[in-house]
Amino acid sequence: MSAFSNTDTGSKPADPYTAANKEGDLPVSEKIETLDKFVSSCKFGMMTTRDTTTGKLVSRCMAIAAKENGGVDQLFFTNTESKKTDELVGDPHVNISFLDSSGQWASVSGTTSIETDRSEIKKYYQPSLKAWMGDLGDGVHDGSENDPRIGVIRVKMTTATYSISDKTLLGFAAQVAKGTVTGEPASVNKLREISESEIKSWRSSH
């Protein structure tokens, strides 16, 4: 029973799209590896944090620097002096959303830690970071791998939901057209969920 309902559909599904597209019994490996492949193809995601001073949610575009533990830990470079690090210290919970031009999407929830160990920074450092950090001309804050402002946000995934499709554009349009005429929900996507226990099990073996 949902917490909010505006009507009663009896024995029929109130959300037929989800019922038609949600995939249930799949190997964990298939679900996580497909998500990992999709995230890699997007590269950029919107990271949502909470501003603890106002309680408001804030989203920022972030580029994935690396992935660990079979793809369930995502790493992002950050300026340690930026506001988002303050927000993550106040509330380490984040959501990262990914979207491609065809409408496929993924939503990843996780908890964060901010890493400042230089060996970790050097492991994934990219020279292009200097364009974002700038060189302050003091011999320390120069945008290099030794710049103490450069840190890594590690996101440990807790749950994920994503929707992908193997339909061609023509096949997608045909399904939508059919649903429009017949009232049957369009079966156009593979809607998948990855639970916290599945992710924990995957992480422990990778």
Side-chain angles (χ1 to χ4, degrees):
M1 186 71 178
S2 62
F4 175 86
S5 178
N6 196 45
T7 189
D8 184 358
T9 59
S11 60
K12 296 181 179 180
D15 185 3
Y17 165 79
T18 297
N21 290 274
K22 186 175 181 179
E23 293 190 329
D25 296 329
L26 288 173
V28 174
S29 59
E30 180 178 346
K31 292 197 289 185
I32 292 180
E33 287 170 359
T34 302
L35 172 62
D36 184 48
K37 183 179 179 181
F38 175 68
V39 167
S40 294
S41 71
C42 293
K43 186 177 179 180
F44 295 96
M46 294 296 292
M47 179 184 290
T48 301
T49 58
R50 183 181 297 278
D51 185 335
T52 54
T53 60
T54 65
K56 294 180 179 180
L57 299 177
V58 183
S59 295
R60 302 173 177 86
C61 183
M62 302 284 287
I64 292 182
K67 289 175 288 183
E68 296 179 343
N69 295 323
V72 295
D73 289 350
Q74 299 173 351
L75 281 66
F76 303 83
F77 279 113
T78 186
N79 184 332
T80 60
E81 311 311 299
S82 68
K83 189 174 182 181
K84 65 179 169 290
T85 54
D86 290 336
E87 293 167 354
L88 293 175
V89 169
D91 185 348
H93 298 89
V94 296
N95 178 269
I96 307 170
S97 57
F98 301 90
L99 177 70
D100 71 8
S101 59
S102 67
Q104 298 181 116
W105 57 268
S107 173
V108 173
S109 295
T111 56
T112 61
S113 59
I114 302 171
E115 312 289 342
T116 57
D117 181 83
R118 298 334 292 172
S119 62
E120 189 76 3
I121 307 305
K122 292 177 180 179
K123 186 176 179 181
Y124 300 114
Y125 176 79
Q126 301 165 3
S128 59
L129 284 169
K130 191 170 185 177
W132 302 102
M133 304 300 296
D135 186 344
L136 303 187
D138 59 6
V140 177
H141 307 98
D142 56 4
S144 72
E145 60 187 13
N146 295 311
D147 189 328
R149 295 174 299 163
I150 298 178
V152 165
I153 297 172
R154 174 176 276 106
V155 179
K156 296 187 69 173
M157 191 186 302
T158 53
T159 60
T161 303
Y162 66 95
S163 176
I164 58 171
S165 177
D166 55 11
K167 299 283 186 185
T168 63
L169 186 60
L170 185 60
F172 184 95
Q175 280 290 317
V176 173
K178 177 183 176 182
T180 302
V181 173
T182 65
E184 296 178 7
S187 179
V188 292
N189 294 314
K190 297 177 180 179
L191 184 60
R192 299 173 176 176
E193 295 178 349
I194 308 176
S195 70
E196 186 169 3
S197 60
E198 288 175 324
I199 291 171
K200 284 182 177 178
S201 176
W202 181 264
R203 182 180 287 114
S204 67
S205 62
H206 288 78

